Structure formats: structure tokens, C-alpha cells
Amino acid sequence: MVRPVVSSGIESLDSVLKGGFPVGAVSEVTGPDCSGRTSLAHSLVARVIESGKVAAWIDVSDSFDAASAAAAGIDLRRLLWVRCGVTEISHLEPVREFALPDAYLIPSKPKRGLHGGGHGTHPRQEAKGLSNAVSGLLQGEPLSPRCAESQRKLRPTQVTCAPASRLAISAPQRRSVLSPYERIEQGLKSADLILQAGGFGAIVLDLGGIAPEFVSRVELGMWHRYRVAAERTQSSIILLTQHVSAKSSAELLLRLHPAEMVLNEATVFTGTQPRAEVARHRFQERGSNVLPIRKPPQNANIACWQNRTSWAGQR
Amino acid sequence: MTNQTSLYACLYLREFPAQALLRHRSDLHGSACVVMSGEAPGEEACSLNTKARLSGMKHGMSRVEIETFAKPIIMRRSIAIETVTKAALLEVAGNFSPRVEDLSEDTAFVGGIDILGTRSLFGPPEELAKSLLMQIRALGLSANIAVSRNFHAALSFAKGFSRRASVQMVNPGEEAAALSSLPLTVLAVSAAQLETFASWGIYRLGQLAALPEKQLISRMGQEGKRLQQMASGTLPHLFQAIEPPFRLEDRLELDAPLHILESLLFGIRMMLNQLITRVSARVLALASVTVTLELEGKGIHERTVRPALPTNDKELWIKLIHLDLEGHPPPAAFVAIALRAEPGSTSKVQLGLFSPQLPEAGRLDITLARLSALVGEGNVGAPALPDQHLPGSFRVERFALPSGHTSMGISAISRVSLRQLRPPEPVMVMLKDARPEGLRFRTRRYVVEHLYGPWFASGEWWNRDRYGLEQWDLTARGEDGSILCCCLMRDRVRNRWQMAALYD
């Protein structure tokens, strides 16, 4: 019996999986943060969309990055993105702006002293004309010059238009305020609706940002239902989790180990090197039912590949 | 092939204000309904239904007189509803002939249809009249139809026969004989003329037609001649055809303010049914439907539903409108419902034997509406990248089934993807020489292994804002051997460290 598969776009993984991810089944990709689950799902969805189908991405933790999806080659018009647990909150966050108060910019009135403004206690100690001189430095108009007198050139006072301290109003932001349980519920319901509609080549249920203690509370019957629905609609359901959740309902369980770094450049981050282990793969072809005496050759079940950042050059 | 020069079908709807109001109110058909017009103290009955007439109510009665009867249902006359009903009627008439004339009176709809030369399309005139009557009944109205070679003879017949919803045929050459038994009131006779005729002892059209022509003209002038010609079915008619605009509108006014969505949908379902009948008569489909609710007091609540493809599937429309109104309920009780639709061409989708399976358009619309109701509007759709450098900017567009193949080329190199943290999560960073050395994120400690940056990022460069964000890419190893590969942001204005995204 030929079981249809869809290529993941990663050669080494496809060869380990004997062609790719199964069609019409639930596949679970599990691993810790930064292990390369999302890149793998992006690569797979790009291949599904390339074949002319449409795909759905149910984003339970609202962490889908459209820019990196486009960089992975996904035609975004053919991707249905469902953001779960996002409620609109228009919040005004004051941004502090610094500006000098007006008092520092407008010169104060010249201070008149006791007698001539020279700040002396007695006319004898008065510095004559000091006050005028000081005010003359600051402002240009105190004395009208006489005809022959040489005029001191005064620079015009710079008028500084400093903005008053204002509140920069940022656009209303959407923030996730729902609890993980509510978000998971929304995600599962959305997956149900999309499966009922049918016709989607791949449905990615991204639970990768939700802690395993929440995801493991999902009933196993739910995953079984998805498995049956996937078989009926012939769409591949990809489950991204941190810990194994779908158990026996998943036809393929891919465990990703913490990725190694690719250190090609000293100045920019160039990529990661994920390592995937096929923990379970149903319906694998076995040679024969007869048990040989010798230990048969074991299948390679670990694949390694490189994910490079879009700004790193090709090496 | 007959050598007829003219053939008219005349359409007469008596008590039009009452019929228009009761069109969508089948529950009131068994009770006596009166339509009042005029200002409040001096209002008078302008239209009645059969039950009201049988119980003794008459035109021109005041409200007080009407209220002396047992349980009358009193309604206000609505010109808006009459207008949309008239448009629907003219459109039905226009299905049979392009030449339609509107001769409506104050409380009756009168329409003339030039049906000459339609025999090959609709069969003999009797068949045409019957199918016209069927279509009018589908609108919830009852009418009299008469077909004759003479327009005025057809009109008099349609008015004169009291049997409701009947079809009358006048054979050519027998107009005068057929009209002779009809009362004088079917002609547009003034009260003074009617009085004169009564004093002569003339009550029927046959009697009027038999009067000597010259003596009649000498007593009543040219008007008398005209009436006599009408009575004998010989007056020629100048047909002034109108071209009714194709407007898909319907309206329902309620007696009392209503706020229950199910009742609203019940009304919408009836109106939608008729809109679909009208639009499918032109081989079109509904492309969008706008529901306008007039709220109690002042105000309007308007919602437009536009599925991806024009469709005439009533259940699909009801479901979409239901989901939309559930997500956006009217802020107050409503007193009137108006439906406005735009026609679109019926879509034909050519499915290929080897083309990939795609979602069905109608089901996809419902799924999208349900998803919007579940996760909120604006959270379902196709992601799109705006042409700007603002970090993390995206747009959610309406998801539509694409046509043709994807134009994107996939590179052979696998790319690192980001997982955005929305909103950015706070992180505690230990610095050494102003560079992160270790961090504490989600209750775990990490030691930085590789550090790249900082890059300065900020809002729009054309604004005066300074570059207030520092971005670091780093890889860090946790105490338990876990790897963190992330993008850190430092807000330089507030001196705050945040985790913006994870490389996954």
C-alpha cells in the first residue's frame, strides 16, 4: 500500500522519513524552545503551498512571524492565520520626552539694584552701568545708540522651538491576556472548524509556546478525533509541542533535540543546526515477518540539517 | 400568426398600502388590519384588508370609529415600504416584457404590460398571465390581471372584477360586450360626472356606450366622448414605457421595538427569500447584503456581509448574517429592518481532475465567520507584510481562495524562523562591560555563549524620535543544558531589557 507523503523540504529529514510527512494523519513535532520546530513547520507548509494547496496556521501562543514565514518561501496569501487569545486593548503608554522649560530659554528681566542696578550697598561701591551692560548682553534693545557711537554687534537671540513635553500616543496594541487554557480551547475549536471545512493541505496547530503542563491536559480523545478527521479530509495535521501530547494518535512523532549553533560569522548570528529523532513512525515497511537470527541492520532515525538566517550569506 | 397590432396585460392591486405592509406579515392575514394615513388627530383609514372590510370598516373612517370595532390592527401607512414593493412588482412585470407602464393611483397599484409578440417565449396570453400571477403571489401579494387588445378595456376589467387574484381575457372584438356589465366607477370619473350620469339613470358601462355620441358631447364635452370610448373599449392609448432601475431592496417595519436576534433573522429570511427569487430571475446571484436596522429613538445599525463568491444559497446567507449580527449586535432595540443587496454574476468554478483540493467557497465563508466569532475579528485571515521597516509589523487581510499557482520560489536553504513574543517578555540581564553576560528568563538562568550586536532600531526614521532600541542576538546555555537563541531588546529610554523573539 502506498501511503502519500509530503516533502518537508529538508533532504536529510525526508530520507529518514522515507519521503516526508504523512498526508491524512497527525504528525507531532516536539522539542524545547529554539530547537527548530517552527522552521521545520514553515518549510513543510511552504512545500504544501507550493503544490497549489492552501494551509492553515493556528497560532495558539500568538507568536507567528510573517516575515520569517515569507523568508521560508510561504506564499502568505495562501495561508490562513488564526491568532488565538488576542484581545484588543487600547492603551496609552506615555513616552517621556525631554525639553527645557520656557523659563530657561527666555532671558529674565535685568535686575535693578538698590541704586543703579550695580548691586552695591552704597553708591560709591556701585559698579556703574553694570546692570545695563549685563542686560545689554542678553537683550538688544535697552539703549538706543547715539549717532556717532560705535555699536556693539549683538547676535539675535535664537528662538528655540522646543516641543513641550507631550505624550506620544502609540497605536492601540493587541495583547494576549487570556489564560493558556482559554487559548488552547480557542485553538482546538479553530482546528475543529478548519477540519470541518476541509480542503486545507496542511493544518499546523502551534502549541509550541504553551507550557507542557497546560497542553497535557487536553484529552486524548481530542487528538484521536483529529486523526480521524485528517484521514477523512486528507490533510496533514502538524502539531508543534514542547512535550509529547498526542501519544498514539500521532502517526509520526519527531523529537527535536536542542540545536547546535552555526558559527560561521563573528559579527552576525548565522543559524542553527537542529537534530531530529524519529521517535515513532507507523506503517514503516518491514523487510519480512520472519525474525532473523542476526541483528538486522537498524534504520537511521536521526537527521541533522542547517537552518540559516536570511541575512547570512550562502556558504 | 395573428396580425394583432397591440396586446396589453393590465395588473391591478387594490388596497396597495395594506398589501405592501402585510406582505411579510403572514401572521396578520387572519385579522382585520387597517392602514391609517394623515396626521395624528385627523388620521383616517386609507386602506383595509378583506377581513376589515367584511367586518364593516370603510375608507375614510377616523381612528375613533375604527376602534369601535373588535380588535382592529391599526398600522401607519409607510411610503418607503410601498416604494420597495412597487419596485419589486415592476421588476416582476419587467420579466415578461421590456415595455412596462406604471399608472399607480393613490391606494392602488396599476401597471400595464405590452405583451405583444411574447407568445413564443411565454406561450399564449393566458399562460403568461397565470405565470405573472404566480410570481406576484410569490411576493406575498394578490392582484387582478386582465388581457386585452385595448389598454383601457384591460384596465377596466382588472379594476372591475371583484374576484381576487383572477385572470380575465377579453377576446378581440368583444370588448364592448364584455365591458357592458361593469359599473361606471372603474373609469376615472369625477364625482360631478358620476352624479350627472346617475341623474340620467346610467350606472353601467354598457349604458354609457349606448348613448348617442353627439348629444353626449354637447352635454359633457370632449371628456364625455372619451368616457364613452373607454366604455366601448375603443379609446386608443399612448403607451409610455418606463425603465425601472434594478434595485434589490426590501424593507420591513415593526409594530413594536424588537431586540431578539432570532426574530430579526426570521424577518430577514423572508425578505432574503424574495430578493433571491428576484435576482435569480435575472440569472444573477447576490454578491453582498447590507442589513440596516433603524434603532429605537435615533440611529442606524448597518452591517454588510460579503462572501467570497456571489451566491443564492439562502441558508449560507442566513448563517453569515447570523454570525455577523451575533458578533456585532445592535446597540438598542430596532423598529425597522431594511435589506439592500448587490447583484453579482453567478460564479462558475471549473474544477480540474488533477488540480489540488481546495476548500469549498461557501463553507469557507462560514468557517471564516465562525473563526472570527471565536477568536475576534481581525485575528483571522491571511498575513501580509506592509512595505515598511517597523519591526514586527504585519497586517491581517481577508483570506480568499487564490486562483492560479503560487508565484513564490522556495530556496533550497532551510531558514531559521522567529517566534515573536507578543508582548515582549521582561528579562533580567547581567551586564559586563555594558554587554549581556548572563540572563534570567522564565525562571531559568542562562549564560551567554555568543553575542552579536547591538543594532540600533527604532520607530520611523522620519520621525524625530531618537534611536531608542538596541537589539542583540545571542545564544545562551542554561544550567540544565538547554539552549536559548533569542533576540533581546533594550529600551534605552527606560533602560529596560525585553525578550522580543526566539529563533526556533
Side-chain angles (χ1 to χ4, degrees):
Chain A
M1 184 177 175
V2 178
R3 294 195 170 267
V5 289
V6 56
S7 162
S8 67
I10 296 161
E11 258 179 50
S12 57
L13 186 64
D14 282 351
S15 66
V16 168
L17 292 177
K18 306 263 186 327
F21 280 68
V23 172
V26 178
S27 312
E28 188 172 359
V29 180
T30 176
D33 276 333
C34 309
S35 58
R37 300 160 301 173
T38 316
S39 334
L40 177 57
H42 277 171
S43 173
L44 176 74
V45 167
R47 291 309 185 285
V48 169
I49 286 178
E50 194 192 21
S51 66
K53 295 179 183 171
V54 290
W57 191 287
I58 301 162
D59 193 5
V60 178
S61 47
D62 189 24
S63 57
F64 180 79
D65 183 43
S68 51
I74 296 178
D75 185 358
L76 293 178
R77 289 169 305 162
R78 287 170 170 261
L79 183 73
L80 175 65
W81 178 25
V82 183
R83 303 175 66 196
C84 300
V86 183
T87 47
E88 189 165 6
I89 297 175
S90 62
H91 72 124
L92 307 176
E93 198 177 0
V95 175
R96 216 185 309 156
E97 291 267 327
F98 177 76
L100 277 174
D102 289 347
Y104 291 95
L105 298 171
I106 298 171
S108 56
K109 281 191 173 175
K111 205 175 183 181
R112 298 280 166 194
L114 186 59
H115 300 284
H119 302 285
T121 50
H122 192 268
R124 269 202 299 272
Q125 294 153 3
E126 189 88 326
K128 273 191 181 167
L130 183 65
S131 173
N132 284 342
V134 169
S135 64
L137 276 173
L138 290 170
Q139 276 178 321
E141 37 71 53
L143 286 172
S144 53
R146 275 165 278 172
C147 307
E149 199 173 54
S150 61
Q151 290 177 28
R152 190 171 64 239
K153 288 259 172 82
L154 290 173
R155 285 192 189 148
T157 318
Q158 291 274 328
V159 180
T160 317
C161 300
S165 69
R166 64 186 163 90
L167 289 179
I169 295 167
S170 54
Q173 282 192 2
R174 284 168 178 246
R175 292 195 156 190
S176 309
V177 290
L178 296 185
S179 74
Y181 287 123
E182 285 167 307
R183 281 197 255 164
I184 291 173
E185 194 187 343
Q186 281 191 357
L188 295 175
K189 277 185 182 168
S190 307
D192 254 345
L193 286 171
I194 291 171
L195 274 171
Q196 276 173 27
F200 284 85
I203 300 168
V204 180
L205 183 57
D206 185 357
L207 295 161
I210 306 280
E213 58 260 35
F214 300 114
V215 181
S216 57
R217 299 275 179 108
V218 178
E219 286 176 23
L220 287 177
M222 183 70 85
W223 306 124
H224 179 70
R225 231 152 36 81
Y226 286 171
R227 179 190 148 192
V228 174
E231 215 169 296
R232 203 182 59 242
T233 56
Q234 285 298 302
S235 49
S236 314
I237 300 183
I238 315 295
L239 210 59
L240 304 185
T241 52
Q242 293 191 5
H243 199 264
V244 185
S245 311
K247 306 281 165 71
S248 61
S249 300
E251 186 170 324
L252 169 71
L253 173 61
L254 211 60
R255 190 171 281 137
L256 292 179
H257 296 289
E260 297 296 316
M261 294 303 120
V262 178
L263 304 171
N264 285 341
E265 305 277 348
T267 50
V268 287
F269 172 64
T270 45
T272 59
Q273 191 169 0
R275 201 158 56 88
E277 181 195 351
V278 182
R280 185 177 54 246
H281 198 183
R282 269 203 203 162
F283 308 119
Q284 276 282 34
E285 289 279 322
R286 290 182 192 275
S288 96
N289 287 334
V290 181
L291 286 174
I293 296 171
R294 279 192 218 146
K295 187 183 178 189
Q298 295 293 304
N299 279 334
N301 65 346
I302 289 190
C304 253
W305 68 95
Q306 273 199 1
N307 286 334
R308 299 182 66 83
T309 51
S310 49
W311 53 83
Q314 194 172 355
R315 292 236 170 186
Chain B
M1 185 86 187
T2 54
N3 52 355
Q4 281 185 336
T5 51
S6 58
L7 188 64
Y8 299 101
C10 204
L11 195 63
Y12 184 73
L13 278 86
R14 62 185 77 236
E15 307 291 355
F16 188 61
Q19 285 208 48
L21 281 173
L22 296 175
R23 185 155 76 97
H24 293 301
R25 308 285 300 272
S26 50
D27 53 319
L28 295 181
H29 281 184
S31 41
C33 303
V34 189
V35 180
M36 311 292 285
S37 66
E39 285 305 311
E43 54 190 345
E44 55 182 31
C46 72
S47 186
L48 316 160
N49 69 349
T50 316
K51 185 92 179 174
R53 200 169 52 249
L54 289 177
S55 62
M57 298 179 204
K58 287 199 171 58
H59 289 109
M61 278 186 167
S62 67
R63 179 179 272 270
V64 179
E65 284 171 313
I66 294 288
E67 279 169 355
T68 57
F69 291 90
K71 290 184 190 170
I73 291 179
I74 299 174
M75 303 160 102
R76 294 279 313 157
R77 187 175 182 178
S78 166
I79 298 297
I81 288 186
E82 284 175 38
T83 311
V84 294
T85 311
K86 195 183 278 183
L89 274 170
L90 287 173
E91 203 185 299
V92 167
N95 291 343
F96 291 90
S97 167
R99 278 165 59 78
V100 177
E101 187 174 5
D102 179 20
L103 291 166
S104 289
E105 296 164 5
D106 180 33
T107 59
F109 173 84
V110 185
I113 311 168
D114 185 357
I115 56 168
L116 186 68
T118 56
R119 183 178 280 267
S120 56
L121 275 175
F122 302 105
E126 296 90 349
E127 293 294 315
L128 181 142
K130 276 177 191 161
S131 52
L132 174 61
L133 194 62
M134 292 253 290
Q135 292 201 9
I136 289 171
R137 278 183 181 162
L139 290 180
L141 301 165
S142 60
N144 286 356
I145 299 172
V147 179
S148 168
R149 274 169 61 173
N150 185 275
F151 185 86
H152 293 286
L155 184 59
S156 305
F157 254 100
K159 281 185 181 178
F161 272 82
S162 60
R163 263 196 302 148
R164 288 224 148 191
S166 55
V167 174
Q168 296 293 324
M169 304 297 300
V170 183
N171 293 328
E174 296 175 10
E175 285 91 0
L179 287 169
S180 61
S181 61
L182 294 179
L184 272 182
T185 43
V186 299
L187 303 179
V189 191
S190 66
Q193 288 168 333
L194 204 61
E195 199 179 332
T196 313
F197 284 130
S199 66
W200 297 347
I202 288 170
Y203 300 102
R204 306 263 155 204
L205 294 188
Q207 295 168 328
L208 176 58
L211 288 177
E213 188 186 345
K214 282 181 185 163
Q215 278 81 347
L216 181 66
I217 295 172
S218 66
R219 283 166 179 80
M220 298 198 76
Q222 287 301 313
E223 188 59 24
K225 187 189 175 186
R226 202 181 67 87
L227 288 175
Q228 196 183 31
Q229 280 182 335
M230 281 165 84
S232 57
T234 51
L235 183 69
H237 175 68
L238 177 64
F239 197 90
Q240 291 169 314
I242 54 159
E243 197 173 345
F246 183 50
R247 226 182 267 140
L248 287 166
E249 286 175 349
D250 216 335
R251 194 181 155 82
L252 180 62
E253 286 179 5
L254 308 172
D255 304 333
L258 195 68
H259 63 273
I260 305 164
L261 195 59
E262 279 67 33
S263 320
L264 168 66
L265 285 171
F266 185 74
I268 288 177
R269 181 185 285 269
M270 282 194 299
M271 291 196 277
L272 207 57
N273 217 352
Q274 299 198 347
L275 287 184
I276 288 174
T277 314
R278 282 164 63 186
V279 81
S280 50
R282 297 198 175 212
V283 204
L284 293 172
L286 297 183
S288 79
V289 169
T290 306
V291 181
T292 311
L293 301 176
E294 279 175 25
L295 302 179
E296 201 181 5
K298 288 281 174 190
I300 274 177
H301 182 71
E302 196 172 86
R303 296 295 308 164
T304 301
V305 179
R306 187 185 297 273
L309 289 174
T311 175
N312 276 342
D313 184 353
K314 191 176 76 181
E315 294 308 316
L316 170 69
W317 275 111
I318 290 287
K319 195 74 220 172
L320 289 176
I321 293 173
H322 184 189
L323 287 167
D324 188 75
L325 286 174
E326 227 172 29
H328 305 270
F334 43 90
V335 291
I337 312 161
L339 230 61
R340 198 171 67 243
E342 276 175 33
S345 60
T346 45
S347 51
K348 291 180 199 68
V349 181
Q350 179 68 52
L351 297 172
L353 193 57
F354 301 107
S355 61
Q357 190 193 5
L358 289 177
E360 203 182 310
R363 289 179 78 178
L364 181 67
D365 279 323
I366 292 189
T367 306
L368 290 180
R370 283 196 170 139
L371 284 173
S372 299
L374 179 68
V375 298
E377 210 169 347
N379 294 331
V380 181
L385 292 169
D387 188 11
Q388 62 183 34
H389 291 284
L390 203 64
S393 59
F394 63 87
R395 210 170 51 227
V396 180
E397 288 179 346
R398 192 182 161 76
F399 183 74
L401 281 182
S403 53
H405 266 271
T406 172
S407 51
M408 299 276 288
I410 304 178
S411 71
I413 307 166
S414 181
R415 295 286 179 211
V416 174
S417 297
L418 272 174
R419 291 180 76 87
Q420 296 281 353
L421 300 179
R422 300 188 185 102
E425 290 181 29
V427 61
M428 217 168 82
V429 177
M430 276 69 80
L431 297 176
K432 188 179 178 188
D433 301 334
R435 291 169 72 82
E437 186 196 34
L439 53 110
R440 195 181 170 84
F441 174 60
R442 287 180 184 164
T443 70
R444 255 188 215 168
R445 281 179 181 283
Y446 295 89
V447 179
V448 175
E449 286 190 341
H450 304 282
L451 186 66
Y452 309 98
W455 291 278
F456 291 100
S458 183
E460 298 109 356
W461 53 263
W462 56 91
N463 277 352
R464 283 184 345 100
D465 295 345
R466 65 188 71 75
Y467 276 72
L469 282 180
E470 246 177 36
Q471 182 183 333
W472 300 79
D473 285 337
L474 58 88
T475 58
R477 193 173 288 276
E479 289 161 333
D480 52 351
S482 58
I483 291 276
L484 191 69
C485 202
C486 59
C487 173
L488 270 185
M489 287 282 190
R490 183 187 162 210
D491 187 344
R492 285 159 62 94
V493 179
R494 293 186 203 83
N495 193 20
R496 201 161 64 182
W497 287 88
Q498 284 177 325
M499 186 69 82
L502 300 173
Y503 290 100
D504 188 17

